[in-house]
Amino acid sequence: MTGPRAVLVGSMGAGKTTVGRLVAARLGVGFADTDAIVEERTGKSVQDIFVEDGEAAFRALERAVVAEALASYDGVLSLGGGAVLDPATRALLAAHPVVFLRVGLADAVKRVGLGTGRPLLLGNVRARVKQLLDERTPVYQGVARFTVDTDGREPAEITAEIVASLEGEPA
Ligand code: S3P
């Protein structure tokens, strides 16, 4: 099958970018992040797209970027935290080795800090993260082939677990 060697999903603060880079390095492949691709294409930050064009415009860009990357990118791909809310994206993900990085409220809040640069966390960061985790955790679980807990764990340990799980997969 063509497409990414692994697709990382999970909440903001799950460590998708940090761990994704490490998994890619271990596999000797590239790393890409759909937020970064959207930013490159538009020449705008995700935050500016939300503020100037609205969330719906961001989601449309994200949907297109995710579909393209799933079809053609052969490294490790990390999806923005809300990408899995799109039903068409979820349908595409069924054919890929999706890894859900699970994070609980306390660690997610610690990792996102004040939420600067993350438009969906404006206001009460803890309350927003809790709401998003409650709404989305079942969705992440539904698309995942593997679930890896990240609470209280170092990126290197999480990476080793992901690589071991991927190695058990048929090529
Ligand atoms: C979002 C997560 C962000 C980014 C945007 C919306 C979300 O990505 O796509 O701010 O809906 O959870 P990260 O999960 O990479 O921070």
Side-chain angles (χ1 to χ4, degrees), residues 10-14 16-17 33-35 46-47 50 55 58-59 62 78-83 85 112 117-121 132 136 140:
S11 166
M12 292 179 262
K16 299 184 297 288
T17 305
D33 173 321
T34 57
D35 287 336
V46 168
Q47 187 173 22
F50 266 75
E55 179 171 354
F58 172 75
R59 295 301 176 197
E62 179 176 54
S78 157
L79 305 192
L85 299 179
V112 298
R118 285 174 154 124
L120 289 182
L121 300 184
L132 293 173
R136 295 175 175 182
Y140 296 131

Side-chain angles (χ1 to χ4, degrees), residues 9-16 19 100-103 108 111-112 150 158:
V9 302
S11 166
M12 292 179 262
K16 299 184 297 288
V19 170
F100 168 31
L101 294 187
R102 181 161 51 202
V103 65
R111 292 186 206 148
V112 298
T150 70
I158 299 164

Side-chain angles (χ1 to χ4, degrees), residues 5-154:
R5 295 282 294 275
V7 182
L8 303 190
V9 302
S11 166
M12 292 179 262
K16 299 184 297 288
T17 305
T18 303
V19 170
R21 284 188 200 288
L22 292 173
V23 171
R26 277 282 301 273
L27 298 177
V29 298
F31 170 76
D33 173 321
T34 57
D35 287 336
I37 300 172
V38 167
E39 290 184 336
E40 230 167 76
R41 295 248 168 113
T42 57
K44 284 187 186 186
S45 68
V46 168
Q47 187 173 22
D48 283 349
I49 299 170
F50 266 75
V51 171
E52 291 169 17
D53 310 314
E55 179 171 354
F58 172 75
R59 295 301 176 197
L61 289 164
E62 179 176 54
R63 180 186 309 120
V65 162
V66 170
E68 196 182 309
L70 288 177
S72 61
Y73 188 65
D74 59 6
V76 172
L77 180 70
S78 157
L79 305 192
V84 299
L85 299 179
D86 183 77
T89 295
R90 289 202 297 277
L92 293 178
L93 286 174
H96 295 278
V98 178
V99 180
F100 168 31
L101 294 187
R102 181 161 51 202
V103 65
L105 179 61
D107 279 41
V109 168
K110 220 186 292 168
R111 292 186 206 148
V112 298
L114 295 175
T116 322
R118 285 174 154 124
L120 289 182
L121 300 184
L122 292 176
N124 182 337
V125 173
R126 188 182 162 82
R128 286 295 290 143
V129 171
K130 180 174 185 331
Q131 184 190 1
L132 293 173
L133 284 178
D134 289 349
E135 286 168 6
R136 295 175 175 182
T137 296
V139 184
Y140 296 131
Q141 253 149 3
V143 296
R145 212 175 275 182
F146 312 108
T147 295
V148 177
D149 273 309
T150 70
D151 282 347
R153 300 177 77 192
E154 292 299 323

